[in-house]
């Protein structure tokens, strides 16, 4: 389907600056059909290689037909394919097609595809151009921004990677119409996270717009994607390598990662585990009297309104606590726990005890 090149009135554009480099984030309904013009405008010249998955290509390949004369490079995009073997397949396709230093990879897909295609772009010929065209809500509000790219190793998630900023990020909310509801919800928990850490308005808007968001109404989606991207971008601009402020993005993630690990990454979508993690952090902060009961209950009400999370009643509190200690984000042997201070602000606690954590985990009715 060809769309008019004119951007809709509610399209949004802003610039992200990291170090000396800068790039635009373009958000607008129908942007996939305008991708060629947007890339021309962004100065993305040279050959363009779309890297995508058969699933995403089947749904949305037609929309990007004018972007390149080269064949798309299609590789599987499940988490279990996010490894160096798949990266090898991308390299081979690039070599075979004669991709050179002036070429650009256009990553079209979810967070797995963005991370893999981005890693290929960071390393092929010691680094070529990258454009992120995220197609899941999680990728649109989180993984496409920030320049982290990489793959998993059998020893752990995202152990192999690089920082490689894209030349542009192009977000089209209409692609979310084909996203399974569970994937959509998983991304929305990260939006709630941004609301709690930085933006009460975003939090309230998400709560009131929930039905329109679930209907994938682009008019409702554009502002929440924009706010989320701007928060992530602002944090990355201050702190590309995660020394200070980037840590707030980890709200809900200490326990979230532990829940994913103890269930061997099979039970939860990442966002679902983060939803539990946010509830635990909120409970901990309320018990410390550094967060209000009202705040906790509005967070719990919003998470509940989004539908049931996978069950956790069978999980063991001690095992989860052990898993939090293995978190990559430990600094000098101490767990840095991001706690909500109010809806819209957080604090970091470095003195959370095992007992406190056990009590708040127990509040979720775990064993
Ligand atoms: N780089 C970062 O900063 C960063 C941040 C957060 C997460 N991540 C990574 O992101 C990954 C998770 O990404 P995800 O949640 O997007 O999952 P995903 O990439 O696995 O996508 C989920 C599923 O949705 C399908 N899909 C994608 N777009 C679709 C669409 N428009 N319509 C229908 N189906 C579609 C995919 O084929 C896949 O099966 C993890 O590997 C995680 O490590 C990276
Ligand atoms: Zn996350």
């Amino acid at each position: 389907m060809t769309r008019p090149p004119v951007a809709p009135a509610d399209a949004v554009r802003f610039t992200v600056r990291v170090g000396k480099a800068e790039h635009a984030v373009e958000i607008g309904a129908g942007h996939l059909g305008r991708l060629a013009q947007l890339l021309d405008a962004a100065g993305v010249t040279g050959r363009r290689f779309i890297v995508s998955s058969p699933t995403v290509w089947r749904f949305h390949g037609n929309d990007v037909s004018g972007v390149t004369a080269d064949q798309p490079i299609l590789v599987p995009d499940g988490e279990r394919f996010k490894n160096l073997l798949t990266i090898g397949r991308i390299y081979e396709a690039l070599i075979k097609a004669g991709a050179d230093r002036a070429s650009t990879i256009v990553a079209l897909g979810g967070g797995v595809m963005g991370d893999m295609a981005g890693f290929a772009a960071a390393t092929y010929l010691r680094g070529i151009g990258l454009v992120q065209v995220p197609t899941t809500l999680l990728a649109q509000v989180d993984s496409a921004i920030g320049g982290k790219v990489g793959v998993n190793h059998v020893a752990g998630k995202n152990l192999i990677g690089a920082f490689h900023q894209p030349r542009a990020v192009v977000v089209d909310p209409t692609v979310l119409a084909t996203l399974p509801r569970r994937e959509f919800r998983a991304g929305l928990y990260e939006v709630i996270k941004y609301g709690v850490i930085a933006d009460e308005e975003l939090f309230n808007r998400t709560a009131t717009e929930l039905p329109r968001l679930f209907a994938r109404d682009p008019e409702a989606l554009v502002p929440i994607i924009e706010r989320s991207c701007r928060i992530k971008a602002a944090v990355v601009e201050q702190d590309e390598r995660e020394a200070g402020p980037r840590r707030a993005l980890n709200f809900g993630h200490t326990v979230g990662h532990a829940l994913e690990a103890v269930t061997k990454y099979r039970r939860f979508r990442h966002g679902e585990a983060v939803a539990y993690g946010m509830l635990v952090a909120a409970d901990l902060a309320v018990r410390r009297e550094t967060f209000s009961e009202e705040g906790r209950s509005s967070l719990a009400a919003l998470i509940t309104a989004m539908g049931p999370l996978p069950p956790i009643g069978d999980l063991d509190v001690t095992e989860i606590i052990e898993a939090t200690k293995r978190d990559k984000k430990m600094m000098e042997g101490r767990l840095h726990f991001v706690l909500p201070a109010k809806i819209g602000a957080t604090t970091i606690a470095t003195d959370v005890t095992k007992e406190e954590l056990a009590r708040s985990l127990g509040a979720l009715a775990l064993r």
Side-chain angles (χ1 to χ4, degrees):
M1 189 171 92
T2 48
R3 293 197 184 87
V6 184
D10 63 348
V12 175
R13 172 181 211 276
F14 63 93
T15 304
V16 182
R17 290 182 190 83
V18 182
K20 289 197 187 94
E22 61 172 60
H23 67 81
V25 177
E26 305 268 7
I27 307 167
H31 267 6
L32 230 53
R34 295 179 202 100
L35 189 57
Q37 290 99 312
L38 290 167
L39 296 188
D40 289 344
V44 179
T45 51
R47 288 170 72 189
R48 299 161 180 165
F49 291 90
I50 296 177
V51 179
S52 191
S53 75
T55 316
V56 173
W57 190 253
R58 182 159 45 85
F59 284 126
H60 303 292
N62 278 342
D63 289 346
V64 295
S65 53
V67 170
T68 172
D70 281 292
Q71 287 298 309
I73 299 170
L74 301 183
V75 292
D77 68 349
E79 193 69 45
R80 69 181 190 287
F81 294 107
K82 187 179 162 182
N83 56 41
L84 289 173
L85 222 65
T86 309
I87 297 298
R89 289 180 53 183
I90 299 174
Y91 293 148
E92 258 150 52
L94 291 168
I95 291 165
K96 213 169 138 196
D100 61 16
R101 283 234 160 79
S103 301
T104 297
I105 286 182
V106 177
L108 176 71
V112 167
M113 192 53 65
D115 281 12
M116 292 198 299
F119 185 73
T123 48
Y124 181 70
L125 301 178
R126 298 197 181 83
I128 61 170
L130 170 67
V131 170
Q132 292 282 9
V133 186
T135 63
T136 63
L137 183 59
L138 179 110
Q140 294 187 344
V141 301
D142 187 352
S143 60
I145 311 265
K148 277 203 215 171
V149 295
V151 294
N152 302 327
H153 184 273
V154 281
K157 276 197 70 180
N158 297 325
L159 285 187
I160 320 288
F163 284 94
H164 193 60
Q165 295 296 333
R167 302 226 166 124
V169 177
V170 179
V171 178
D172 182 347
T174 67
V175 301
L176 302 178
T178 56
L179 193 65
R181 187 178 167 89
R182 189 174 179 197
E183 297 294 346
F184 182 79
R185 273 174 56 185
L188 211 46
Y189 296 115
E190 298 278 2
V191 172
I192 294 172
K193 175 195 79 175
Y194 290 122
V196 176
I197 66 173
D199 190 339
E200 187 177 15
E201 221 250 51
L202 173 62
F203 182 91
N204 293 336
R205 186 191 271 268
T206 307
T208 45
E209 297 271 56
L210 216 48
R212 283 176 77 204
L213 292 171
F214 274 115
R216 322 288 162 90
D217 177 346
E219 264 180 48
L221 284 163
V222 168
I224 71 132
I225 294 171
E226 181 198 357
R227 285 306 309 157
S228 302
C229 284
R230 281 186 188 270
I231 294 166
K232 173 108 191 233
V235 174
V236 171
E237 281 178 342
Q238 288 171 47
D239 183 24
E240 188 189 7
R241 307 221 167 198
E242 207 156 326
R246 198 163 182 164
R247 260 189 247 146
L249 296 175
N250 243 26
F251 171 54
H253 281 59
T254 305
V255 166
H257 286 148
L259 288 171
E260 290 182 275
V262 302
T263 54
K264 306 203 159 38
Y265 297 91
R266 288 196 195 115
R267 186 176 304 184
F268 302 103
R269 292 301 297 150
H270 169 71
E272 295 169 341
V274 169
Y276 278 122
M278 292 192 288
L279 293 171
V280 171
D283 184 82
L284 223 150
V286 168
R287 286 175 202 271
R288 287 184 159 215
E289 300 183 359
T290 57
F291 183 49
S292 70
E293 180 51 46
E294 294 77 27
R296 192 239 317 249
S297 49
S298 53
L299 175 62
L302 180 49
I303 289 173
T304 308
M306 286 174 55
L309 291 164
I312 46 168
D314 58 320
L315 302 181
D316 186 84
V317 168
T318 318
E319 242 186 87
I320 296 166
I321 292 173
E322 282 307 305
T324 62
K325 292 189 192 150
R326 288 189 295 270
D327 199 277
K328 279 203 289 212
K329 308 275 156 50
M330 286 255 288
M331 307 268 278
E332 286 142 19
R334 274 209 205 174
L335 202 56
H336 287 232
F337 225 100
V338 183
L339 297 179
K342 62 185 185 81
I343 302 290
T346 57
T347 52
I348 308 272
T350 52
D351 58 349
V352 171
T353 65
K354 253 189 186 174
E355 290 69 29
E356 278 183 283
L357 189 49
R359 201 177 306 131
S360 293
L361 280 166
L364 293 179
L366 294 168
R367 277 200 289 129

Coordinates of all heavy atoms in Angstrom, one line a residue, residues 53 55-56 59-60 77-79 82 109-113 115 135-139 142-149 152 157-158 175-176 178-180 183 190 232 246 269-270, ligand 1:
S53 N 12.5 -10.2 10.2 CA 12.1 -11.6 10.4 C 11.0 -12.0 9.4 O 10.2 -11.1 9.0 CB 11.7 -11.9 11.8 OG 10.3 -11.4 12.0
T55 N 8.2 -13.3 10.1 CA 6.9 -12.9 10.6 C 6.6 -11.4 10.4 O 5.6 -11.0 9.9 CB 6.9 -13.0 12.2 OG1 7.5 -14.3 12.5 CG2 5.5 -12.9 12.8
V56 N 7.6 -10.5 10.7 CA 7.4 -9.1 10.6 C 7.3 -8.7 9.1 O 6.5 -7.9 8.7 CB 8.5 -8.3 11.3 CG1 8.4 -6.8 11.0 CG2 8.4 -8.6 12.8
F59 N 3.9 -9.3 7.6 CA 2.9 -8.3 7.9 C 3.2 -7.0 7.3 O 2.2 -6.2 6.9 CB 2.8 -8.1 9.5 CG 2.1 -9.2 10.2 CD1 2.7 -9.9 11.2 CD2 0.8 -9.6 9.9 CE1 2.0 -10.9 11.9 CE2 0.1 -10.6 10.6 CZ 0.7 -11.2 11.6
H60 N 4.4 -6.6 7.3 CA 4.7 -5.1 7.0 C 5.7 -4.9 5.9 O 6.1 -3.8 5.6 CB 5.2 -4.4 8.3 CG 4.1 -4.5 9.4 ND1 2.9 -3.9 9.3 CD2 4.1 -5.3 10.5 CE1 2.2 -4.2 10.4 NE2 2.9 -5.0 11.2
D77 N 13.5 -14.4 14.6 CA 13.7 -13.4 15.7 C 13.3 -13.8 17.1 O 13.1 -13.0 17.9 CB 13.0 -12.1 15.3 CG 11.4 -12.3 15.3 OD1 11.0 -13.4 15.4 OD2 10.7 -11.3 15.2
G78 N 13.1 -15.1 17.3 CA 12.8 -15.5 18.7 C 14.0 -15.2 19.6 O 15.1 -15.1 19.1
E79 N 13.8 -15.1 20.9 CA 14.9 -14.9 21.9 C 15.9 -16.0 21.7 O 17.1 -15.8 21.9 CB 14.3 -14.9 23.3 CG 15.2 -14.4 24.4 CD 15.6 -12.9 24.3 OE1 14.6 -12.1 24.1 OE2 16.7 -12.6 24.4
K82 N 18.6 -15.3 19.3 CA 19.3 -14.0 19.4 C 20.8 -14.4 19.9 O 21.1 -14.4 21.0 CB 18.7 -13.2 20.5 CG 19.3 -11.8 20.7 CD 18.5 -11.0 21.7 CE 19.3 -9.9 22.2 NZ 18.6 -9.1 23.3
G109 N 11.8 -4.7 13.2 CA 11.3 -5.8 14.0 C 11.2 -5.4 15.5 O 11.3 -4.2 15.8
G110 N 11.1 -6.4 16.3 CA 11.0 -6.1 17.8 C 12.4 -5.9 18.4 O 13.4 -5.7 17.6
G111 N 12.5 -6.0 19.7 CA 13.7 -5.7 20.4 C 14.8 -6.7 20.0 O 16.0 -6.4 19.9
V112 N 14.4 -8.0 19.8 CA 15.4 -9.0 19.4 C 16.0 -8.6 18.1 O 17.2 -8.7 17.9 CB 14.7 -10.4 19.3 CG1 15.6 -11.4 18.7 CG2 14.3 -10.9 20.8
M113 N 15.2 -8.3 17.1 CA 15.7 -7.9 15.8 C 16.6 -6.6 15.9 O 17.6 -6.6 15.3 CB 14.6 -7.7 14.8 CG 15.0 -7.6 13.4 SD 16.0 -9.0 12.9 CE 14.9 -10.3 13.0
D115 N 18.3 -5.5 18.4 CA 19.6 -5.8 19.1 C 20.5 -6.6 18.2 O 21.7 -6.3 18.1 CB 19.3 -6.6 20.4 CG 18.8 -5.8 21.5 OD1 18.5 -4.6 21.3 OD2 18.8 -6.3 22.7
T135 N 9.0 -2.5 15.7 CA 7.7 -2.9 15.4 C 6.9 -3.5 16.6 O 5.8 -3.9 16.4 CB 7.6 -3.9 14.3 OG1 8.3 -5.1 14.7 CG2 8.3 -3.3 13.0
T136 N 7.5 -3.6 17.8 CA 6.8 -4.0 19.0 C 6.7 -2.7 19.9 O 7.5 -1.8 19.7 CB 7.5 -5.1 19.8 OG1 8.7 -4.6 20.3 CG2 7.6 -6.4 19.0
L137 N 5.7 -2.7 20.8 CA 5.7 -1.5 21.7 C 6.9 -1.5 22.5 O 7.5 -0.4 22.7 CB 4.4 -1.6 22.5 CG 4.2 -0.4 23.4 CD1 4.1 0.9 22.6 CD2 2.9 -0.6 24.3
L138 N 7.4 -2.6 23.0 CA 8.6 -2.6 23.8 C 9.8 -1.9 23.0 O 10.5 -1.1 23.6 CB 9.0 -4.0 24.3 CG 10.3 -3.9 25.1 CD1 10.0 -4.2 26.6 CD2 11.4 -4.7 24.6
A139 N 10.0 -2.4 21.8 CA 11.1 -1.8 21.0 C 10.8 -0.3 20.7 O 11.8 0.5 20.7 CB 11.2 -2.6 19.7
D142 N 11.5 1.5 24.2 CA 12.7 1.2 25.0 C 13.9 0.8 24.1 O 14.8 1.6 24.0 CB 12.3 0.0 25.9 CG 13.3 -0.3 27.0 OD1 14.4 0.2 26.8 OD2 13.1 -1.1 27.9
S143 N 13.9 -0.4 23.5 CA 15.1 -0.9 23.0 C 15.7 -0.2 21.8 O 16.9 -0.2 21.5 CB 15.0 -2.4 22.7 OG 14.0 -2.7 21.8
A144 N 14.8 0.5 21.0 CA 15.3 1.2 19.8 C 16.1 2.4 20.2 O 16.8 3.0 19.3 CB 14.2 1.5 18.9
I145 N 15.9 2.9 21.4 CA 16.6 4.2 21.8 C 17.7 3.8 22.8 O 17.5 3.0 23.7 CB 15.6 5.1 22.6 CG1 14.3 5.2 21.9 CG2 16.2 6.4 23.0 CD1 14.2 6.4 21.0
G146 N 18.9 4.4 22.6 CA 19.9 4.2 23.6 C 21.2 3.6 23.1 O 22.2 3.7 23.7
G147 N 21.1 2.9 21.9 CA 22.3 2.4 21.3 C 22.9 1.1 21.8 O 24.0 0.7 21.4
K148 N 22.2 0.5 22.7 CA 22.7 -0.8 23.2 C 22.3 -1.9 22.2 O 21.1 -2.0 21.9 CB 22.0 -1.2 24.6 CG 22.7 -0.5 25.7 CD 22.4 -1.4 27.0 CE 22.2 -0.6 28.2 NZ 21.7 -1.5 29.3
V149 N 23.2 -2.6 21.8 CA 22.9 -3.7 20.8 C 23.7 -5.0 21.3 O 24.6 -4.9 22.0 CB 23.4 -3.4 19.4 CG1 22.6 -2.2 18.9 CG2 24.9 -3.0 19.3
N152 N 22.6 -12.9 23.0 CA 22.8 -13.7 24.2 C 23.9 -14.7 24.0 O 24.3 -15.0 22.9 CB 21.5 -14.5 24.4 CG 20.3 -13.6 24.6 OD1 20.4 -12.5 25.1 ND2 19.1 -14.1 24.1
K157 N 21.9 -13.8 29.3 CA 21.3 -12.9 28.3 C 22.2 -11.6 28.1 O 22.8 -11.1 29.0 CB 19.9 -12.4 28.9 CG 18.8 -13.4 28.6 CD 17.4 -12.7 28.8 CE 17.2 -11.7 27.7 NZ 15.9 -11.0 27.8
N158 N 22.2 -11.2 26.8 CA 22.9 -10.0 26.4 C 24.3 -9.9 26.9 O 24.8 -8.8 27.2 CB 22.1 -8.8 26.9 CG 20.7 -8.7 26.3 OD1 20.5 -9.0 25.2 ND2 19.7 -8.2 27.1
V175 N 1.8 -0.2 13.1 CA 2.3 -1.6 13.0 C 1.9 -2.4 14.2 O 1.8 -3.6 14.1 CB 3.8 -1.7 12.8 CG1 4.3 -1.0 11.5 CG2 4.6 -1.2 14.0
L176 N 1.5 -1.7 15.3 CA 1.2 -2.4 16.5 C -0.2 -3.1 16.3 O -0.5 -4.0 17.2 CB 1.1 -1.5 17.7 CG 2.5 -0.8 18.0 CD1 2.3 0.2 19.1 CD2 3.6 -1.8 18.2
T178 N -1.0 -5.4 14.4 CA -0.8 -6.9 14.2 C -0.1 -7.6 15.4 O 0.2 -8.8 15.3 CB 0.0 -7.1 12.9 OG1 1.3 -6.4 13.0 CG2 -0.7 -6.6 11.7
L179 N 0.3 -6.8 16.4 CA 1.1 -7.3 17.5 C 0.1 -8.1 18.4 O -0.9 -7.6 18.8 CB 1.7 -6.2 18.3 CG 2.8 -6.6 19.3 CD1 4.0 -7.2 18.6 CD2 3.2 -5.3 20.1
P180 N 0.5 -9.4 18.8 CA -0.3 -10.1 19.7 C -0.5 -9.3 21.0 O 0.4 -8.6 21.5 CB 0.5 -11.4 20.0 CG 1.4 -11.5 18.8 CD 1.7 -10.1 18.4
E183 N 2.1 -9.4 23.8 CA 3.3 -8.6 23.5 C 3.0 -7.1 23.7 O 3.9 -6.4 24.2 CB 3.7 -8.8 22.0 CG 4.2 -10.2 21.7 CD 5.4 -10.7 22.4 OE1 6.1 -9.9 23.0 OE2 5.7 -11.9 22.4
E190 N 6.3 -1.3 30.5 CA 7.5 -0.4 30.5 C 7.1 1.1 30.4 O 7.7 1.9 31.0 CB 8.5 -0.7 29.3 CG 9.1 -2.1 29.4 CD 10.3 -2.2 30.3 OE1 10.7 -1.3 30.9 OE2 10.9 -3.4 30.3
K232 N 13.5 8.0 28.0 CA 14.6 7.1 27.7 C 15.8 7.9 27.1 O 16.9 7.8 27.5 CB 14.2 5.9 26.8 CG 15.4 5.1 26.4 CD 15.5 3.7 27.1 CE 16.8 3.0 26.9 NZ 16.7 1.7 26.3
R246 N 20.9 6.5 34.5 CA 20.3 5.4 33.7 C 19.7 4.3 34.7 O 18.9 3.6 34.3 CB 21.3 4.9 32.7 CG 20.6 4.0 31.6 CD 21.6 3.8 30.4 NE 20.9 3.1 29.4 CZ 21.2 3.0 28.1 NH1 22.3 3.6 27.7 NH2 20.5 2.3 27.3
R269 N 6.8 -12.8 29.8 CA 7.3 -11.8 28.9 C 8.1 -10.8 29.9 O 7.6 -10.6 31.0 CB 6.3 -11.1 28.1 CG 5.5 -11.9 27.1 CD 6.4 -12.5 26.1 NE 7.1 -11.5 25.2 CZ 8.3 -11.7 24.7 NH1 9.0 -12.8 24.9 NH2 8.8 -10.7 23.9
H270 N 9.2 -10.3 29.4 CA 10.0 -9.4 30.3 C 9.1 -8.4 31.0 O 9.3 -8.2 32.2 CB 11.1 -8.7 29.4 CG 11.8 -7.6 30.1 ND1 12.7 -7.9 31.1 CD2 11.7 -6.3 29.9 CE1 13.2 -6.7 31.5 NE2 12.6 -5.7 30.8
Ligands
LIG1 N1 18.8 -2.6 23.6 C1 18.1 -2.3 24.6 O1 18.4 -1.2 25.2 C2 17.0 -3.2 25.0 C3 16.1 -2.8 26.0 C4 15.0 -3.6 26.3 C5 14.9 -4.9 25.7 N2 15.9 -5.3 24.8 C6 15.8 -6.6 24.2 O2 14.6 -6.7 23.5 C7 14.2 -8.0 23.4 C8 12.7 -8.1 23.5 O3 12.1 -7.4 22.5 P1 10.5 -7.6 22.2 O4 9.8 -7.6 23.5 O5 10.2 -6.6 21.2 O6 10.4 -9.1 21.6 P2 10.6 -9.7 20.2 O7 11.6 -8.9 19.4 O8 11.0 -11.1 20.5 O9 9.2 -9.7 19.5 C9 8.2 -10.4 20.0 C10 7.4 -11.1 19.0 O10 6.6 -10.2 18.2 C11 6.8 -10.4 16.8 N3 6.5 -9.2 16.2 C12 7.3 -8.1 16.1 N4 6.7 -7.0 15.6 C13 5.4 -7.5 15.3 C14 4.3 -6.9 14.7 N5 4.3 -5.6 14.4 N6 3.2 -7.6 14.5 C15 3.2 -8.9 14.8 N7 4.2 -9.6 15.4 C16 5.3 -8.8 15.6 C17 8.2 -11.0 16.7 O11 8.3 -11.7 15.5 C18 8.3 -11.8 17.9 O12 7.8 -13.1 17.7 C19 15.0 -8.8 24.4 O13 15.9 -9.6 23.7 C20 15.7 -7.7 25.2 O14 17.0 -8.1 25.6 C21 16.9 -4.5 24.5

